[in-house]
Amino acid sequence: MDPREQFCPNMTCPARGKVGENNIVVHSRKEARYKCNICGKTFAETTGTPMYRLHHATELMVIVATLIAHGCPLQAIVAAYHLDERTVMDWQERVGRHCKQVHEHLVEQPQDLEQVQADEIRVKAQGKVIWLAMAMMVSTRLWLGGVVGERRDEGLILALMGIVRKCALARPLLICVDGFSAYVQAIARTFRSPLPTGKRGRPQLIPWPDIHIGQVIKRYQGKRVVDITRRMAQGCFESAQALLQKSRGGTKLNTAFIERLNATFRSRLAVLVRRSRALIRNPQTLEPLMYLMGTIYNFCTEHKSLRLPGVVGGHKWIPRTPAIAADLTDHIWTVKELLLFRIPPPDWQPPKHQGKRSQAEMALMAKWSS
Ligand SMILES: [Zn+2]
């Protein structure tokens, strides 16, 4: 237990979310609890993680999460570890929600994306079809997130573009997609910024310049691709070419990178959704599962094409994950590290109120500022 790496999770504490302020001490080694010296509250080591109040060993949850993320059938996990099916379902959900929070906290930060590829996959589940739309940044292979829906429609694409927008800086950007027409309008509606006028009311939204949309339309005969049409649905070809080169994403417009990632997701999900009853009632149960897979892919899985040459400890290559390539972290995470990652709450702001502050509040603030 290292109190120096912990922060206070108490939302009313002025020191909430702060690391390295020397306000956290070990409260109980036996119960694995820390104490904050500012607010005086204690908290469990696992507060804010899926392991909070877990009745099993941490290691078991780590193993189960790893197996699920790689498409191991639920029944196999139930049989191998003598767990109840509902327990495994519950863990899948908890771990997935946690991964989504980690994703929102670390990945959904504006950066120069250069080239993004987006695509949809169709997952069959007991008499029902579910669509997953996902996007990735090409140069770092970073999975930017995804959305789940019952139909492949404008709403699905609009939600996906909303996620990409959160990850993007207003820089030249090439978005490569398939021939689905909803992308053009969804991108036009999403990539806009308010024009500050200083006046009251809703400001005018100005579309971002330099957004280029490349479409790659494949024609199939059976399962074979017989013809590929590449065209610019928006923007200019020269800029697109420059962005392709900059992001090392091939010489022609393509969606090869997202297609490869989608194929991995599809094969792993197919096993997991085949007999899921919860999924039939509500396709949104697939979302945590998708985030579990995506986050383990981003943070815990080294990518051969991302490795760098260099000799470290006798190894010829320095392995990198998409998260390292995108500068979100400096090392390959273990699944345990991912699941125990605590998301710090936003900085504390003194509450706005009229009149005198209470004595307790004054004492708390004095303690924090000293
Ligand atoms: Zn505190």
Side-chain angles (χ1 to χ4, degrees), residues 1 4 6 9 30 112 135 158 188 194 202 311 363 366:
M1 288 177 79
R4 284 167 306 178
Q6 301 297 326
K30 198 172 147 230
D112 188 356
L158 200 60
R202 190 167 174 265
V311 178

Side-chain angles (χ1 to χ4, degrees), residues 8-10 12-16 23-24 36-41 43:
C8 178
N10 176 10
T12 58
C13 175
R16 74 180 190 199
N23 59 317
I24 308 293
C36 167
N37 276 337
I38 303 293
C39 63
K41 294 265 194 290
F43 57 94

Side-chain angles (χ1 to χ4, degrees), residues 71-350:
C72 178
L74 202 75
Q75 298 312 323
I77 299 170
V78 167
Y81 296 100
H82 306 289
L83 289 163
D84 192 288
E85 192 181 319
R86 284 163 299 182
T87 308
V88 182
M89 292 291 283
D90 174 53
W91 287 6
Q92 177 180 309
E93 164 114 13
R94 265 158 76 173
V95 166
R97 293 209 179 288
H98 173 76
C99 286
K100 190 179 180 201
Q101 287 174 351
V102 175
H103 181 89
E104 285 168 351
H105 180 67
L106 294 173
V107 181
E108 288 181 8
Q109 298 293 340
Q111 59 171 316
D112 188 356
L113 295 174
E114 297 166 353
Q115 191 200 158
V116 167
Q117 293 187 352
D119 199 9
E120 317 88 48
I121 42 178
R122 187 175 180 270
V123 184
K124 250 197 236 166
Q126 257 188 357
K128 197 169 195 174
V129 167
I130 292 154
W131 286 93
L132 256 81
M134 309 203 292
M136 92 186 287
M137 176 184 176
V138 171
S139 64
T140 60
R141 310 288 192 270
L142 190 71
W143 180 74
L144 299 177
V147 283
V148 179
E150 283 183 69
R151 274 178 301 275
R152 179 183 184 238
D153 57 9
E154 279 160 41
L156 188 77
I157 304 301
L158 200 60
L160 178 68
M161 287 303 127
I163 296 176
V164 177
R165 163 76 161 80
K166 283 185 202 157
C167 305
L169 279 172
R171 300 260 170 84
L173 175 63
L174 171 65
I175 305 176
C176 284
V177 294
D178 54 26
F180 190 27
S181 59
Y183 277 108
V184 180
Q185 228 202 343
I187 291 168
R189 276 176 65 183
T190 313
F191 290 85
R192 296 189 291 181
S193 293
L195 180 76
T197 52
K199 288 187 200 135
R200 284 178 66 173
R202 190 167 174 265
Q204 195 190 346
L205 293 168
I206 303 295
W208 289 12
D210 268 332
I211 301 287
H212 309 273
I213 308 171
Q215 281 181 329
V216 180
I217 302 156
K218 291 184 182 170
R219 211 158 55 80
Y220 292 89
Q221 219 161 54
K223 280 191 173 173
R224 267 211 354 256
V225 178
V226 288
D227 183 43
I228 302 178
T229 311
R230 302 162 206 273
R231 66 170 186 225
M232 297 300 298
Q234 182 183 308
C236 76
F237 185 71
E238 285 70 33
S239 307
Q241 208 65 33
L243 286 163
L244 271 175
Q245 211 167 42
K246 200 175 162 202
S247 61
R248 298 180 306 281
T251 49
K252 286 180 186 165
L253 292 176
N254 69 87
T255 48
F257 295 93
I258 188 72
E259 278 170 36
R260 204 168 310 148
L261 182 65
N262 273 355
T264 311
F265 268 72
R266 187 193 283 118
S267 65
R268 289 175 185 179
L269 283 168
V271 184
L272 297 165
V273 300
R274 201 168 294 151
R275 296 208 296 161
S276 170
R277 261 158 288 163
L279 196 65
I280 305 307
R281 282 197 297 274
N282 181 12
Q284 291 308 323
T285 54
L286 198 58
E287 197 194 69
L289 189 55
M290 174 182 68
Y291 272 93
L292 170 64
M293 290 180 171
T295 312
I296 288 187
Y297 161 83
N298 274 344
F299 288 90
C300 310
T301 319
E302 56 179 270
H303 209 296
K304 214 171 175 183
S305 65
L306 293 174
R307 63 186 188 175
L308 292 176
V311 178
V312 182
H315 297 285
K316 231 172 142 183
W317 297 94
I318 304 165
R320 294 197 303 167
T321 60
I324 297 176
D327 234 352
L328 305 178
T329 179
D330 58 1
H331 64 286
I332 299 171
W333 288 23
T334 61
V335 176
K336 186 176 179 180
E337 203 175 347
L338 169 65
L339 299 190
L340 282 174
F341 181 83
R342 295 172 61 222
I343 295 134
D347 278 358
W348 184 80
Q349 299 290 336

